């Protein structure tokens, strides 16, 4: 038997076995998605403008203004089919979160009731209730983003470790609870005892 | 080679080629994918911890060097058992989470101003959840904690009993250092009280369990309940947002069925939570680049420890 005669068949069989092996490996690993997929995002300029408008409306101390500004930008996202970035969507435009996003339950089940309580306290001009409501809102955001612990290297107030969107969210809604501690230095007493 | 052998070889190769074409046309799904059968939720969490020999060895060392006494261990096991009854937290999950966070040192980092402290490495914001949102996730939490802390009551604090630290002069120079005094009893309302801390940590874990469970239920995603406890441990470490981001990323790529498959398999969940590559892919849009590397390394290390400690060996 000449090697030259068998070589093509051997090569073909080796290639086929190799292809089977790669296919099996692919399906073994297919359970885990390892690639990041791009999203259809609105431009960062538009997003920055939306956040600026919301912050400006909050500074007026009027929930009605805030609602109107939010509705205007939310309408833009709905009309264009674009989305803000995930963090901005979660905290400012939860209706734009993907339908199947697990974060929706946090937005609707935890953030929304806390905001509602803050609004009621603000509308009732009750600073004590407003401070308490803001405290609950802040606690939910911190625990959602950070969990119980922080990295050993991060010996800082919790607020400094939050995402930019979360910090902005707390800063904006802090306008409706003027007595609430928003800055790390104001929270020194709170940080000591967790109250 | 004679003609007969040559013909046989040609037919064999053609058959192989035809099989490959069929494979690609029909999809390997039918060959390699597991058949979808209703899964019975077979428990895989160990009834006792730790499962892994490394932690068992470490425990022996801790006893030998008196970092942990038999009395402390008995108290701990009792409190963990009670927490399991009160909050339905599987004892192995709570045991392994606390062991991983602090090696059961109830005064760990007690002298710190910021950051994580105590047996469960609670931060001030974790304490605030227990104090301000006591019954939000689970309506009985306040009453259960009240029983634990009696005669004291909420709120929990990071206060230390007087005399917990004493000043110690260094042998050279005038510098003094604070030294922990062993055996000082901590107030029941303090997170540095071991009984209170175990209960508060269990309550926090239970909150994360409920948070994750409700999110998955709202999306009608099937799961094994014990897997959710493992995810709760991850959320204890890095927040529910991390867990949701990871799961959202998987669901987006492999669909609800694929995600359900992960959430019903301890092996696949282990791969997801301990693989830095999978963590980075799912969390890239959540954390900035400077944090992503060390956060994912920390999370994968922690979850590797919790899994190996709490999950029966044959389940992984």
């Amino acid at each position: 038997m000449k090697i030259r005669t068998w070589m093509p068949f051997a090569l073909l069989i080796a290639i086929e076995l190799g292809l089977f092996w790669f296919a099996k490996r692919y399906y073994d690993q297919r359970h885990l998605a390892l690639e990041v997929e791009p999203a259809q995002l609105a431009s960062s300029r538009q997003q920055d403008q939306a956040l600026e408008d919301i912050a400006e409306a909050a500074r007026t101390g009027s929930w009605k203004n805030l609602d109107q500004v939010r509705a205007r930008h939310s309408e833009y996202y709905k009309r264009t089919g674009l989305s803000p970035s995930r963090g901005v969507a979660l905290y400012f435009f939860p209706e734009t979160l993907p339908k199947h996003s697990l974060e929706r339950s946090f937005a609707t089940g935890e953030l929304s009731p806390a905001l509602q309580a803050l609004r009621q306290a603000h509308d009732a001009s009750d600073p004590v209730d407003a401070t308490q409501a803001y405290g609950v809102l802040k606690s939910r955001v911190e625990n959602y983003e950070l969990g119980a612990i922080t990295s050993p290297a991060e010996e800082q107030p919790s607020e400094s470790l939050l995402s930019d969107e979360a910090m902005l969210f707390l800063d904006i809604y802090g306008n409706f609870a003027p007595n609430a501690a928003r800055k790390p230095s104001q929270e020194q007493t709170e940080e000591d005892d967790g109250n | 080679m004679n003609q007969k052998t040559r013909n046989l070889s040609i037919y064999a190769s053609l058959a192989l080629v035809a099989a490959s074409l069929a494979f690609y046309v029909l999809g390997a799904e039918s060959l390699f994918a597991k058949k979808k059968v209703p899964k019975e939720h077979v428990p895989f969490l160990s009834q006792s911890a730790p499962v892994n020999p490394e932690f068992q060895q470490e425990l022996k060392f801790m006893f030998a060097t008196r970092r942990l006494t038999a009395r402390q261990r008995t108290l701990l096991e009792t409190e963990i058992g009670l927490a399991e009854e009160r909050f339905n937290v599987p004892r192995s999950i709570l045991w392994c989470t606390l062991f991983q966070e602090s090696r059961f040192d109830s005064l760990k980092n007690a002298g710190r101003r910021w950051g994580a402290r105590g047996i469960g490495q609670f931060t001030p914001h974790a304490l605030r959840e227990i104090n301000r949102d006591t019954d939000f996730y689970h309506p009985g939490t306040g009453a259960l904690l009240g029983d634990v802390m009696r005669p004291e009551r909420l709120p929990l604090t990071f206060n230390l009993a007087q005399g917990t630290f004493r000043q110690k002069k260094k042998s050279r120079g005038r510098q003094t250092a604070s030294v922990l005094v062993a055996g000082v009893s901590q107030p029941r309302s303090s997170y540095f009280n071991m009984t209170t801390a175990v209960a508060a940590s269990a309550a926090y874990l239970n909150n994360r369990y409920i948070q994750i469970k409700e999110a998955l239920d709202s999306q009608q995603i099937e799961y094994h309940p014990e897997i959710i406890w493992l995810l709760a441990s991850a959320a204890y470490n890095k927040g529910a947002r991390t867990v949701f981001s990871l799961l959202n990323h998987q669901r987006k790529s492999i669909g609800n069925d694929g995600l359900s498959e992960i959430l019903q398999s301890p092996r696949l969940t282990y791969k997801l939570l301990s693989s830095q590559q999978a963590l980075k892919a799912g969390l890239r849009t959540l954390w900035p680049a400077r944090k992503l590397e060390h956060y994912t390394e920390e999370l994968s290390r922690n979850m590797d420890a919790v899994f190996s400690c709490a999950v029966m060996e044959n389940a992984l």
Side-chain angles (χ1 to χ4, degrees):
Chain A
M1 284 182 288
K2 291 184 183 168
I3 294 174
R4 256 195 305 176
T5 311
W6 282 103
M7 187 81 84
F9 300 106
L11 206 57
L12 189 62
I13 290 167
I15 289 169
E16 297 297 340
L17 287 171
L19 286 169
F20 270 116
W21 181 79
F22 274 115
K24 177 77 167 66
R25 196 174 135 93
Y26 164 76
Y27 277 99
D28 273 349
Q29 287 192 346
R30 91 195 195 289
H31 291 283
L32 294 186
L34 301 175
E35 299 302 317
V36 181
E37 294 183 22
Q40 288 275 66
L41 297 178
S43 71
S44 59
R45 200 201 298 183
Q46 188 282 332
Q47 189 170 275
D48 289 345
Q49 186 61 53
L51 294 176
E52 219 173 279
D53 292 344
I54 289 172
E56 187 59 46
R59 277 194 286 271
T60 65
S62 162
W63 275 96
K64 196 176 167 189
N65 284 352
L66 187 62
D67 283 346
Q68 283 170 351
V69 167
R70 262 195 14 84
R72 191 174 81 234
H73 286 286
S74 183
E75 182 55 38
Y76 166 81
Y77 292 127
K78 193 176 165 186
R79 196 175 67 244
T80 58
L82 297 171
S83 310
S85 66
R86 278 230 329 262
V88 172
L90 171 66
Y91 289 112
F92 298 101
F93 304 102
E95 62 276 10
T96 63
L97 283 170
K99 200 170 57 157
H100 299 295
S101 170
L102 293 169
E103 296 202 279
R104 273 185 169 257
S105 75
F106 173 71
T108 54
E110 300 188 38
L111 279 186
S112 180
L115 283 173
Q116 195 56 33
L118 179 60
R119 182 172 191 163
Q120 280 171 359
H122 176 260
D123 288 347
S125 303
D126 188 336
V128 171
D129 275 0
T131 303
Q132 199 173 356
Y134 180 79
V136 167
L137 180 70
K138 188 162 174 277
S139 168
R140 288 183 189 173
V141 170
E142 285 171 337
N143 284 286
Y144 183 66
E145 293 229 334
L146 304 175
I149 72 170
T150 50
S151 296
E154 282 161 347
E155 286 204 41
Q156 307 165 47
S158 308
E159 202 171 85
S160 325
L161 302 171
L162 296 174
S163 64
D164 292 341
E165 298 86 7
M167 286 204 280
L168 183 63
F169 173 82
L170 292 175
D171 197 46
I172 283 173
Y173 283 99
N175 283 296
F176 299 101
N179 297 335
R182 280 187 277 157
K183 301 289 176 225
S185 57
Q186 289 176 300
E187 269 206 340
Q188 199 151 349
T189 309
E190 281 193 29
E191 288 287 354
D192 285 351
D193 62 13
N195 283 314
Chain B
M1 186 192 334
N2 61 26
Q3 186 65 33
K4 194 178 176 186
T5 313
R6 180 181 282 213
N7 287 344
L8 273 173
S9 307
I10 290 169
Y11 294 144
S13 303
L14 285 172
L16 209 49
V17 170
S20 305
L21 282 172
F23 175 86
Y24 295 128
V25 165
L26 296 173
E29 194 83 28
S30 58
L31 289 176
F32 294 129
K34 294 187 182 95
K35 296 279 182 272
K36 197 172 177 178
V37 292
K39 290 186 193 229
E40 282 183 23
H41 291 148
V42 177
F44 58 81
L45 289 176
S46 172
Q47 287 300 307
S48 64
V51 169
N52 55 344
E54 294 79 15
F55 279 9
Q56 288 170 12
Q57 227 17 61
E58 196 174 340
L59 263 183
K60 281 185 190 159
F61 181 75
M62 285 167 71
F63 282 130
T65 53
R66 295 192 61 78
R67 274 180 58 197
L68 184 71
T69 63
R71 184 180 164 276
Q72 282 171 326
R73 183 160 186 192
T74 306
L75 175 65
L76 202 57
E77 297 284 353
T78 306
E79 295 306 329
I80 288 174
L82 288 170
E84 182 179 32
E85 280 174 30
R86 289 178 182 126
F87 297 105
N88 292 318
V89 179
R91 66 170 56 218
S92 55
I93 291 283
L94 183 57
W95 196 104
C96 297
T97 300
L98 297 178
F99 187 76
Q100 177 61 14
E101 296 301 345
S102 68
R103 292 308 190 259
F104 300 143
D105 181 359
S106 58
L107 290 173
K108 185 171 179 182
N109 299 329
R112 269 197 199 166
R113 192 103 171 128
W114 311 107
R117 293 162 248 184
I119 197 171
Q121 288 291 276
F122 255 30
T123 45
H125 63 257
L127 222 56
R128 278 197 286 274
E129 175 175 293
I130 301 295
N131 291 332
R132 293 178 180 173
D133 253 342
T134 316
D135 290 330
F136 178 71
Y137 297 96
H138 175 64
T141 299
L144 291 166
L145 285 175
D147 286 342
V148 169
M149 293 165 65
R150 196 168 289 133
E152 297 179 50
R153 298 193 306 186
L154 289 171
L156 289 182
T157 68
F158 280 127
N159 293 342
L160 285 161
Q162 217 162 5
T164 302
F165 283 100
R166 67 177 170 84
Q167 296 296 323
K168 180 186 174 188
K169 276 194 182 150
K170 287 192 177 173
S171 55
R172 290 183 186 179
R174 293 172 197 165
Q175 284 177 308
T176 58
S178 289
V179 176
L180 204 60
V181 176
V184 174
S185 185
Q186 301 298 325
R188 284 269 168 155
S189 59
S190 168
Y191 187 75
F192 296 117
N193 178 292
M194 186 190 274
T195 302
T196 302
V198 169
S201 303
Y204 194 92
L205 261 175
N206 190 38
N207 290 351
R208 302 286 76 74
Y209 174 85
I210 291 168
Q211 201 175 27
I212 295 168
K213 179 181 181 306
E214 284 181 356
L216 291 171
D217 287 344
S218 71
Q219 298 288 343
Q220 294 169 325
I221 294 170
E222 290 174 10
Y223 52 82
H224 188 313
E226 291 188 347
I227 298 271
I228 308 308
W229 282 112
L230 290 163
L231 294 177
S233 185
Y236 185 105
N237 191 267
K238 284 281 177 274
R241 192 171 186 203
T242 294
V243 171
F244 288 163
S245 293
L246 276 175
L247 299 183
N248 278 340
H249 176 68
Q250 293 301 317
R251 190 209 52 77
K252 206 171 169 183
S253 305
I254 59 179
N256 270 12
D257 286 349
L259 181 59
S260 283
E261 198 165 348
I262 290 176
L263 296 179
Q264 293 185 82
S265 162
R267 187 181 60 86
L268 292 176
T269 305
Y270 172 72
K271 274 167 78 173
L272 175 65
L273 292 177
S274 61
S275 155
Q276 269 206 277
Q277 191 181 3
L279 292 176
K280 280 180 187 171
L283 302 174
R284 202 180 300 275
T285 55
L286 188 60
W287 290 328
R290 69 180 186 278
K291 276 189 178 176
L292 185 67
E293 189 67 39
H294 85 258
Y295 266 32
T296 52
E297 191 275 329
E298 238 177 58
L299 180 58
S300 69
R301 186 166 26 90
N302 265 304
M303 293 319 300
D304 187 55
V306 170
F307 267 81
S308 63
C309 174
V311 176
M312 292 190 279
E313 274 176 23
N314 56 5
L316 287 181

